[in-house]
Every structure is written in structure tokens, then in C-alpha cells.
Amino acid sequence: MDEQAYLTDRLDDQIQWLSAKAGRNQKMFRRLRLIELAAAASIPFVTGLIRESGDAFALSTGLLGVAVAVIAGVMSLFQFQETWVEYRQTAERLKREKYVFLTRSAPYDGDDRLHVLVQRVEAALSDERSSWADRALTTGTEPTSGEGAEGGP
């Protein structure tokens, strides 16, 4: 594989995949957190309405509590925030390697610069896969649909 093929077929592809997954995880985390906060903040309000209106709002209070618990469980299980941050960090690490490589800065200033790039990029991807596997083992499920960086396109 030549330099251009590695840069486009492997490095750019993984950067795009990781960035897209980071964005999706960030959106999911923020949406769920916002819903969780709104539901939790509504509980005292709805509880106050129970005194005014009787039992009509009692069911609403219970449902809001259930929603908060379910959302917290889903966020803990799928670890959207942790996955978002890790994918973003790996994507930024790969971007940095690419730009240092393209400018022929150290450690990419020698004759074996492509080999050095491949080793460093593959090490970064291996680190991300290991971390993903650790999260999967910790939670007992595959974080964010079970796709590590290698599972990308």
C-alpha cells in the first residue's frame, strides 16, 4: 500500500468514522441528559400540583420518576459520554499524526516515515479498540451499537 492509499483508505476513513460516531454519541448523551434533567426537575412541580388537584397528578409524578431512572440506566449501560469523548480523542490523535506526517515533522522526517505513521496510527486504533472492549466487558453490553473503530467502514 502506498502513502496516498494509506492516507485516504485507512487514516482519513478512520478519522471520518470516529468523528461521526463521536458526534452521534454526543447528541444522544445530550438529548438523554436534557430529558432526564427536565423530568427530574418536573417532579417537585408535579408533586405540588397533587396537593391542589388531588390524585390526578400522582401518576405523572411516578412516571417522571420512572423516566429518570430508565434514562439514567440507559446512559450508564451504553456509556454515550465516555464513548463520545474517547472517539473524539482518537480522531483528534489521528488528525494530529496526519498533519505532523504531511509537514514532515519529527518523527516523520526520515526515509521510513510511512512505516512510522502506520505504526503510530495502528497503535492508536488498537488502543481505542482495547478501550472499547474494556467498556463492553464492564457494562456487559457493546457500547454504542457494538462498533469499535475497526468496526467502521
Side-chain angles (χ1 to χ4, degrees):
M1 177 177 277
D2 69 354
E3 180 178 307
Q4 191 57 42
Y6 186 79
L7 288 174
T8 57
D9 295 344
R10 180 67 169 163
L11 184 55
D12 288 342
D13 182 62
Q14 289 298 297
I15 290 169
Q16 290 171 359
W17 189 89
L18 287 160
S19 293
K21 286 294 183 178
R24 284 188 207 121
N25 278 279
Q26 180 186 42
K27 285 178 186 173
M28 189 61 117
F29 170 75
R30 288 184 173 177
R31 285 177 185 154
L32 287 173
R33 180 63 77 193
L34 184 60
I35 294 167
E36 181 185 39
L37 289 170
S42 298
I43 291 173
F45 176 75
V46 173
T47 302
L49 293 177
I50 291 172
R51 291 186 203 156
E52 301 290 326
S53 303
D55 290 335
F57 289 97
L59 180 62
S60 298
T61 304
L63 290 175
L64 287 170
V66 168
V68 169
V70 168
I71 290 170
V74 167
M75 289 177 58
S76 175
L77 185 63
F78 291 102
Q79 299 182 344
F80 294 111
Q81 183 179 24
E82 295 86 350
T83 305
W84 149 39
V85 170
E86 184 152 331
Y87 283 172
R88 176 60 51 217
Q89 285 176 331
T90 302
E92 294 303 318
R93 181 177 171 189
L94 294 179
K95 285 180 192 178
R96 180 191 172 283
E97 293 296 334
K98 178 182 176 182
Y99 294 128
V100 172
F101 175 82
L102 290 174
T103 60
R104 298 183 181 267
S105 301
Y108 304 116
D109 52 355
D111 292 336
D112 63 342
R113 62 193 222 100
L114 180 58
H115 293 111
V116 174
L117 176 68
V118 170
Q119 289 172 349
R120 292 173 66 109
V121 166
E122 297 305 320
L125 294 173
S126 178
D127 290 348
E128 189 281 323
R129 283 188 301 274
S130 294
S131 180
W132 175 86
D134 289 345
R135 282 193 315 277
L137 289 172
T138 300
T139 63
T141 187
E142 297 178 347
T144 62
S145 304
E147 298 172 329
E150 196 61 19

